[in-house]
């Protein structure tokens, strides 16, 4: 399906729309069920982690209760899902899908000078972040136009909150790398937790 066809099927007025993409300002659980099965080429998202505890969705118990609602829906929407997460939540996340659905683990390494969390926990800075890949192995292998091999660990500095006005903005270079290696030109990419909009910017630039 084309993006225009998906927008028509969704039937909700977008917050923003242009030829390169569309943004809905809504609860993703209201929009995702409207998207036809397998209409999305790649889901690339950074959902609430369940570790900050400043809002309800950051509470660990709440996180564990609600992830199945959208991960199952996203897997209906797409054959491939890239998901930033916290290491402590991986056991809960893996319980939401059959073992065969897990494809690969990537690591975002945050070099010295980055903004870290967790130094009060056993005197260890949380200087890395897991990235989980779910989906059909054949679908993963047929996607991606990168011309050279790379590694499963990526180095990228964090983005300060005062730079983008968002507490967990992801580096544009990292998001673009993931797109280049795991999608093709003109693919439709979905981010149900858009945050500061990095996924949208990366997709438009590519």
């Amino acid at each position: 399906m084309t993006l225009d066809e998906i927008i028509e099927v969704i039937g909700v007025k977008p917050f923003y729309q242009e030829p390169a993409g569309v943004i809905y300002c809504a609860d993703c659980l209201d929009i995702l069920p409207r998207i036809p099965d397998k209409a999305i080429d790649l889901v690339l998202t950074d959902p609430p982690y369940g570790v900050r505890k400043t809002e309800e969705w950051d509470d660990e118990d709440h996180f564990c209760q609600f992830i199945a609602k959208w991960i199952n829906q996203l897997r209906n929407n797409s054959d491939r899902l890239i998901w930033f997460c916290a290491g402590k939540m991986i056991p809960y996340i893996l319980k939401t899908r059959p073992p065969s659905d897990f494809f690969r683990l990537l690591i975002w390494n945050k070099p010295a000078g980055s903004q870290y969390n967790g130094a009060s926990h056993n005197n260890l800075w949380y200087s890395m972040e897991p990235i989980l890949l779910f989906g059909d192995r054949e679908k993963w292998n047929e996607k991606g136009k990168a011309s050279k091999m790379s590694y499963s660990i990526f180095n990228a500095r964090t983005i300060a909150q005062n730079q983008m006005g968002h507490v967990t903005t992801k580096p544009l270079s990292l998001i673009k790398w993931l797109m280049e290696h795991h999608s093709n030109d003109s693919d439709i990419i979905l981010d149900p937790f858009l945050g500061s909009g990095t996924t949208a910017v990366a997709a438009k630039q590519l």
Side-chain angles (χ1 to χ4, degrees):
M1 298 183 70
T2 66
L3 180 59
D4 287 340
E5 290 172 335
I6 294 174
I7 294 171
E8 183 176 355
V9 171
I10 290 175
V12 175
K13 184 178 180 180
F15 171 78
Y16 175 83
Q17 184 175 355
E18 62 168 81
V22 59
I23 297 174
Y24 291 93
C25 186
D27 186 333
C28 69
L29 295 178
D30 294 332
I31 301 296
L32 297 178
R34 297 171 178 262
I35 300 175
D37 288 355
K38 310 308 180 186
I40 304 299
D41 294 295
L42 174 66
V43 175
L44 174 51
T45 194
D46 175 28
Y49 286 13
V51 295
R52 297 178 60 82
K53 299 187 183 301
T54 56
E55 298 183 34
E56 183 184 28
W57 64 6
D58 288 318
D59 178 77
E60 184 174 320
D61 291 336
H62 182 77
F63 175 85
C64 296
Q65 292 170 11
F66 100 118
I67 53 176
K69 296 179 181 178
W70 49 263
I71 190 174
N72 292 333
Q73 181 60 59
L74 288 174
R75 289 294 287 112
N76 289 337
N77 297 144
S78 178
D79 283 321
R80 294 173 302 124
L81 166 62
I82 298 177
W83 180 354
F84 285 83
C85 72
K88 64 180 293 186
M89 306 313 294
I90 291 178
Y92 301 105
I93 294 169
L94 294 180
K95 288 180 181 179
T96 67
R97 303 299 307 169
S100 60
D101 197 43
F102 176 70
F103 176 63
R104 181 167 293 165
L105 169 67
L106 306 178
I107 297 294
W108 170 26
N109 178 60
K110 305 170 185 179
S114 299
Q115 178 178 318
Y116 300 139
N117 291 314
S120 62
H121 301 159
N122 299 319
N123 296 321
L124 291 174
W125 290 111
Y126 291 142
S127 60
M128 57 79 71
E129 200 162 315
I131 306 172
L132 304 179
L133 277 61
F134 289 91
D136 184 271
R137 181 174 297 273
E138 292 185 2
K139 295 295 184 180
W140 279 112
N141 290 336
E142 70 185 26
K143 293 290 184 178
K145 60 182 179 61
S147 60
K148 61 181 180 180
M149 298 294 292
S150 187
Y151 298 94
S152 58
I153 299 177
F154 319 104
N155 295 319
R157 291 277 300 273
T158 56
I159 307 298
Q161 181 175 354
N162 60 10
Q163 184 174 340
M164 292 294 176
H166 190 279
V167 70
T168 59
T169 297
K170 293 298 178 286
L172 182 61
S173 61
L174 175 57
I175 299 299
K176 291 176 73 171
W177 189 99
L178 291 169
M179 286 186 185
E180 287 182 310
H181 276 256
H182 299 297
S183 66
N184 296 319
D185 289 341
S186 301
D187 275 359
I188 297 175
I189 296 174
L190 169 68
D191 185 352
F193 301 98
L194 190 58
S196 58
T198 309
T199 307
V201 173
K204 182 174 181 177
Q205 290 187 0
L206 293 174

